[in-house]
Amino acid sequence: MTLHGDPKKEAWWLIADFHPFTTEVRGIPANQIRKNWCKATEFRKDLIPRDLLFEDGTDAMEESKLSFAIEGQFDGTATRQVALVGVFQECAGPKGRFILILDQPTVGTPNIRFVSAVREDRQFGVLQKGKDSSIVVLTCMQCDDFSILKWDRKKRKFGRQPDPGVQ
């Protein structure tokens, strides 16, 4: 991760540029997530400099109940899923942010249930457990820029929910 700006003047997550360096996420090769990906790295706290995560001695993510990965039964079945965010790089060079929802089997490789990927210059993203087994996806830590992912029983897939503030 490199910062393009001064973290004393701007929030670090707004000026962070993440550099994917792994070729798999939770045992799934990047090119099986998306065919044109060569690298994909799941965000983890140990990849962020501690002085950025712990401003004034407190863990801002933990305090806000934000995480790079959350677990739950998001589709209403007994199967546990994990939702996670990270950065990808296409083999041709462009980078961006991704969101994955994976089934967590007791043995073997996780099964991909949902993928969303957006080319972005600033790739930061975090998750929060929402109401009714939903997943709140945020692109910053202290803003109202978010979307909601929820299992749609009729369509039998995960999808974005309409913004609750829009009527």
Side-chain angles (χ1 to χ4, degrees):
M1 177 182 91
T2 54
L3 297 178
H4 297 282
D6 184 352
K8 290 181 170 76
K9 295 180 181 175
E10 300 175 83
W12 68 267
W13 55 88
L14 297 175
I15 59 173
D17 183 16
F18 294 89
H19 308 285
F21 62 92
T22 57
T23 57
E24 64 179 39
V25 175
R26 305 233 175 167
I28 303 169
N31 65 1
Q32 285 183 17
I33 299 169
R34 288 278 168 93
K35 291 185 186 318
N36 64 339
W37 289 5
C38 282
K39 294 180 184 174
T41 302
E42 176 181 352
F43 290 148
R44 300 186 322 259
K45 281 186 173 183
D46 65 326
L47 298 177
I48 312 291
R50 186 172 171 75
D51 60 321
L52 296 177
L53 279 177
F54 291 87
E55 294 181 53
D56 303 321
T58 61
D59 183 336
M61 284 182 64
E62 192 171 307
E63 203 169 83
S64 301
K65 296 184 175 142
L66 300 172
S67 183
F68 294 127
I70 56 175
E71 291 187 13
Q73 294 165 307
F74 302 118
D75 67 357
T77 66
T79 304
R80 294 201 54 80
Q81 286 96 33
V82 61
L84 57 97
V85 290
V87 61
F88 69 86
Q89 184 165 13
E90 296 174 2
C91 300
K95 294 188 306 185
R97 174 182 52 251
F98 69 82
I99 302 160
L100 280 179
I101 301 174
L102 307 171
D103 277 343
Q104 291 287 93
T106 51
V107 227
T109 306
N111 179 39
I112 298 172
R113 294 289 301 278
F114 175 85
V115 180
S116 176
V118 180
R119 287 181 181 174
E120 291 279 350
D121 290 334
R122 300 295 179 255
Q123 305 86 22
F124 183 82
V126 287
L127 304 172
Q128 187 177 59
K129 284 188 178 182
K131 296 177 182 175
D132 302 325
S133 299
S134 65
I135 301 163
V136 181
V137 182
L138 299 101
T139 57
C140 63
M141 290 206 317
Q142 298 172 348
C143 68
D144 57 3
D145 184 13
F146 68 93
S147 61
I148 298 173
L149 288 173
K150 189 163 173 63
W151 179 253
D152 185 320
R153 288 180 191 213
K154 289 180 184 174
K155 294 180 181 177
R156 302 193 46 76
K157 66 180 188 175
F158 287 97
R160 296 197 188 277
Q161 298 295 298
D163 184 336
V166 177
Q167 299 276 342

